[in-house]
Amino acid sequence: MKAGTDLAQIASLVGDPARANMLAALMNGAALTASELALEAGVTLPTASAHLAKLSAGGLMRMTRQGRHRYYALADHQVAGMLEVIMGVAAALGPKKVLPGPRDNAMREARICYDHLAGEMGVAMFDAFVERDLLAVNGDDVALTKRGTAFFCDFGIDLAAMQGKRRPVCRACLDWSVRRSHLAGSLGAAIFERFVALKWARREKGTRIIRFTPPGRQSFALMLRD
Amino acid sequence: MKAGTDLAQIASLVGDPARANMLAALMNGAALTASELALEAGVTLPTASAHLAKLSAGGLMRMTRQGRHRYYALADHQVAGMLEVIMGVAAALGPKKVLPGPRDNAMREARICYDHLAGEMGVAMFDAFVERDLLAVNGDDVALTKRGTAFFCDFGIDLAAMQGKRRPVCRACLDWSVRRSHLAGSLGAAIFERFVALKWARREKGTRIIRFTPPGRQSFALMLRD
DNA sequence: TTCATAGTTCGATGCTAACCGAAGTGTTGA
DNA sequence: TCAACACTTCGGTTAGCATCGAACTATGAA
């Protein structure tokens, strides 16, 4: 009985559409003001204020004052993780393909998932690698092919250093915004590092968004094609 | 906006106390009748029936008819996992140390978490391994030590077969009933398999409970100690 | 000081949904 | 065929809470 009460308490905080929209808007890790969140949720300021008070009291949010602004953010990683899991269930259950995922275009296009590229560009990259026989997919398993080994070495990645480590080299990671796989593992991380080193892309400070430079975008497209 | 709506839809299903109690009661993996769930939630049959209809329509539950009984169970693993995560957040936030976790003693002591041992015994095992320098914990990372490698080989586990696989060998998994970590990953799974092979323990059919045999319990304690 | 902006608090309103009793459906057993 | 049981559906009541406008507080700028 007690277990259910706790469960309900947290879930009901997330269970209101206005609050859920606010929480979803904060999933990129940024902190937003009360006004911005009100806009995001489609309610007036007083209503938003009441919701924010509840979320804070419930421990799901953390607030910092800065002058006359109050910035709200998710309380911690655990809360963000919980929201991801719930969205995962929602995505798996809802057969409605009506463009799920972040409203934030930049987030949907390219973002950091731990330490590798996710979003539409991440999925496109993964698909291209498989298409070109650089990666071999077998169920949930992903492995480097001979061609792939040559290709990534050529791209400037030290594959030898990854072998035999605890962390898997290739791993498929399900993208909640697109519901398709992208590349994780040490190779996924190394590729993203290389993108940054080549100045093709950089992380936007304080968020999980990845911004590609115009030339970087071009090089990226080229890399997938040939 | 759409993301928030999906989020709210699922969360609000869990967010009602009566429904949350029902879901919590089903977390041991068993299937219960509508009457039993009504009792569990503390509502009358008609009320429970309405809730169960909603949960089923929402995809969180699965129903099977058996004569004049209707058995309700959680839809799948993903749903059970989501509930675990939410309870984890609730436990982390609620400063009420009033003995959180499953009312069911057997569940709290030892249960399956995917494919490895969780619950009090799982946590005790993890602690002992770290204490004895078989595992090295560094933040969220867990790694095998040299001593650990020798120990687990000696215990009859084929560590070589795990290396280089997609799945991590060691992983820490947060236990919602005890709020401490236990061992997951392929090593965690292999250890549990070994327990079963040695007849120290077995899964109770249809539930997530793990039953240790008396000699198994003794051997287990010995294994942790020396 | 005065004005503007950001946010909270208050009071009133209205809608949703949880709830129960009573009646209805379907299954089992006699 | 009838009675008992398990469960669902229906109708009506009630309580909670999301919502908004208006008034209030606090910070910053002129």
Side-chain angles (χ1 to χ4, degrees):
Chain A
M1 177 76 94
K2 193 65 187 56
T5 308
D6 290 351
L7 200 57
Q9 221 157 14
I10 299 298
S12 68
L13 281 176
V14 186
D16 176 82
R19 286 195 293 265
N21 278 316
M22 293 178 176
L23 292 168
L26 293 172
M27 276 185 64
N28 62 3
L32 299 178
T33 65
S35 311
E36 290 169 318
L37 287 169
L39 192 68
E40 197 73 35
V43 294
T44 62
L45 244 177
T47 305
S49 184
H51 284 309
L52 291 168
K54 278 187 195 182
L55 287 167
S56 301
L60 296 189
M61 277 196 184
R62 167 172 54 76
M63 189 259 287
T64 60
R65 329 172 62 122
Q66 214 161 109
R68 55 177 159 180
H69 291 275
R70 293 180 177 202
Y71 284 93
Y72 288 88
L74 297 185
D76 57 27
H77 250 222
Q78 206 185 355
V79 171
M82 175 184 77
L83 296 176
E84 291 249 3
V85 169
I86 300 177
M87 294 187 79
V89 170
L93 293 179
K96 33 193 78 170
K97 308 278 187 179
V98 285
L99 193 51
R103 45 181 295 117
D104 191 328
N105 281 333
M107 273 279 278
R108 183 163 56 233
E109 186 179 75
R111 66 174 185 281
I112 275 283
C113 177
Y114 298 98
D115 55 3
H116 55 266
L117 178 65
E120 283 164 4
M121 291 180 77
V123 171
M125 184 173 82
F126 183 73
D127 287 349
F129 287 166
V130 173
E131 167 72 25
R132 295 177 54 195
D133 194 32
L134 305 179
L135 297 179
V137 179
N138 180 9
D140 272 359
D141 267 10
V142 182
L144 261 175
T145 61
K146 287 219 174 65
R147 286 171 58 98
T149 307
F151 177 86
F152 291 117
C153 282
D154 191 47
F155 188 59
I157 287 173
D158 183 5
L159 287 171
M162 297 176 190
Q163 313 284 356
K165 291 277 188 174
R166 200 175 62 81
R167 183 177 186 190
V169 175
C170 300
R171 211 169 60 75
C173 181
L174 191 65
D175 202 298
W176 63 270
S177 63
V178 194
R179 290 183 54 187
R180 307 238 318 273
S181 289
H182 59 251
L183 183 64
S186 47
L187 177 58
I191 291 175
F192 176 63
E193 266 179 38
R194 193 84 183 110
F195 284 173
V196 174
L198 290 169
K199 300 230 190 308
W200 289 9
R202 59 180 173 69
R203 290 192 58 169
E204 183 159 309
K205 206 171 169 61
T207 76
R208 284 165 56 199
I209 293 171
I210 296 176
R211 296 276 181 203
F212 274 74
T213 62
R217 191 177 293 270
Q218 208 158 11
S219 306
F220 177 82
L222 215 64
M223 172 188 180
L224 299 195
R225 208 175 51 217
D226 67 10
Chain B
M1 178 75 92
K2 194 61 188 58
T5 308
D6 289 350
L7 201 56
Q9 221 157 15
I10 299 298
S12 67
L13 281 176
V14 186
D16 175 82
R19 284 194 294 263
N21 278 316
M22 293 177 177
L23 291 168
L26 293 173
M27 277 186 63
N28 61 3
L32 299 178
T33 65
S35 311
E36 289 168 319
L37 288 169
L39 191 68
E40 196 74 33
V43 294
T44 61
L45 244 178
T47 305
S49 183
H51 284 308
L52 291 169
K54 279 187 195 182
L55 288 168
S56 301
L60 297 188
M61 277 195 184
R62 166 171 56 75
M63 188 259 288
T64 60
R65 327 171 63 122
Q66 213 161 111
R68 55 180 161 183
H69 292 274
R70 292 180 178 204
Y71 284 93
Y72 288 89
L74 298 184
D76 57 27
H77 252 218
Q78 206 185 355
V79 171
M82 176 184 76
L83 296 175
E84 291 244 3
V85 169
I86 300 176
M87 295 188 85
V89 170
L93 293 179
K96 32 194 78 166
K97 308 279 187 182
V98 285
L99 192 49
R103 42 187 297 121
D104 192 327
N105 280 333
M107 274 278 280
R108 182 162 59 233
E109 186 180 74
R111 66 175 184 280
I112 274 284
C113 177
Y114 298 98
D115 56 4
H116 54 266
L117 178 65
E120 282 163 4
M121 291 180 78
V123 171
M125 184 173 82
F126 183 73
D127 287 349
F129 288 166
V130 173
E131 167 72 28
R132 295 176 55 194
D133 194 32
L134 305 179
L135 297 179
V137 179
N138 180 11
D140 272 358
D141 266 8
V142 182
L144 261 175
T145 61
K146 287 220 177 62
R147 287 171 56 97
T149 305
F151 178 86
F152 292 116
C153 281
D154 191 46
F155 187 59
I157 287 172
D158 183 4
L159 288 171
M162 298 177 189
Q163 311 284 357
K165 289 279 187 172
R166 203 174 61 80
R167 183 177 186 189
V169 175
C170 301
R171 213 170 60 75
C173 181
L174 191 64
D175 200 297
W176 64 271
S177 61
V178 193
R179 288 185 52 187
R180 308 239 316 273
S181 290
H182 59 250
L183 182 64
S186 47
L187 178 59
I191 291 175
F192 175 64
E193 267 177 39
R194 193 85 183 109
F195 284 173
V196 175
L198 290 170
K199 299 226 190 308
W200 289 11
R202 58 179 173 70
R203 290 191 59 169
E204 184 162 296
K205 204 167 170 63
T207 77
R208 285 166 54 201
I209 294 170
I210 296 175
R211 298 274 181 203
F212 274 75
T213 61
R217 191 176 294 272
Q218 207 158 11
S219 305
F220 177 82
L222 216 64
M223 172 188 179
L224 299 194
R225 209 175 52 218
D226 64 12

